[in-house]
Amino acid sequence: MTSGSDDHPHEEPPVHLTEFTHALAERLPGWQPSPHTVLIADDPAGARMWDSGPMPYTAYEADARRTVLTHRWGLQLYVLPRPHRPRQYLVLPMLPANTSYRHVRGIRAPRGIAVPDDPVRAAAALHRRLLLAYRLAAPIVIRRSSPGHLQVHVAFDDQQRPRIRSGYLGANAELLAHGGFLLDPATGECHLPDALSPQEVRRHLITSLQRLRHHNFHITLHTNDGPRTHPPLPGAASYRRQRR
């Protein structure tokens, strides 16, 4: 008679969170995994979840960690192990970039779901049950957060590093896909990696803002001396017509 410990001799161990999200991102075009995991108990980004999925917050284990998948449009998915289900993960939609809960009032939230730790099956479930609803709802929410017609606002933190907000998918895509920016899960702001030197930060910022002005965006820099506005560059409107 076989002992209980030999009932499943060839069963694979659960897939680690980092390995899972990297493999999942490979199957979700446009999505990138965050480089680090974070303890959920210490995570301010939890306050930006749009839908908490099938499990309440109180069920999360004290040592549970999360990671985040980010799309170039400014969308994010909060990924963590499902409590008491070692072969499952929760994938939960977060508020899009530059938005808060007041911007989603009256809009049906895309539902967070549980997925197996098999990245192939998980990606299929996400495409079928979450991503389409998320992509349809997000542009409406982001437009509600727009500070004005084709406006991009740049503030600076205590280290004089830029924090950028925009209510436009195109601006988010320019910063995240081409400008080297990251999307902060805790604030919904675009920022540059901490590893960059001040000189590199300045170069990235100038290049990205110039590209946005070529795309007909108005840039407002919020400095200690007050706001300074930079209009679109000459020829920006004709450039946009060529892109259509």
Side-chain angles (χ1 to χ4, degrees), residues 60-125:
Y60 297 157
E61 298 170 357
D63 60 348
R65 304 184 74 88
R66 63 80 173 161
T67 188
V68 169
L69 291 168
T70 300
H71 191 275
R72 60 179 177 268
W73 291 351
L75 313 182
Q76 291 183 309
L77 298 170
Y78 198 95
V79 185
L80 71 157
R82 187 176 184 181
H84 315 300
R85 304 286 183 90
R87 303 308 302 259
Q88 293 187 15
Y89 283 95
L90 298 179
V91 183
L92 314 175
M94 301 181 68
L95 295 174
N98 192 48
T99 68
S100 65
Y101 285 105
R102 65 187 176 90
H103 299 120
V104 300
R105 289 174 185 162
I107 297 177
R108 184 176 181 179
R111 296 302 307 272
I113 63 172
V115 297
D117 68 350
D118 176 349
V120 175
R121 294 169 56 204

Side-chain angles (χ1 to χ4, degrees), residues 28-39:
L28 300 176
W31 294 87
Q32 294 292 327
S34 56
H36 308 293
T37 63
V38 175
L39 274 172

Side-chain angles (χ1 to χ4, degrees), residues 35 67 108 110 115 132 179 189 197 204 206 221 234:
T67 188
R108 184 176 181 179
V115 297
L132 179 59
E189 298 170 332
S197 69
H204 275 269
I206 290 173
L221 296 174

Side-chain angles (χ1 to χ4, degrees), residues 160-184:
Q160 292 302 299
R161 300 175 77 90
R163 311 287 293 192
I164 302 181
R165 288 183 172 273
S166 170
Y168 291 91
L169 298 177
N172 293 332
E174 177 61 47
L175 295 168
L176 298 172
H178 305 296
F181 280 77
L182 306 173
L183 184 60
D184 186 344

Side-chain angles (χ1 to χ4, degrees), residues 211-224:
R211 288 174 62 91
L212 286 170
R213 293 175 68 196
H214 272 297
H215 285 283
N216 215 30
F217 284 97
H218 300 252
I219 309 298
T220 299
L221 296 174
H222 297 270
T223 69
N224 293 334

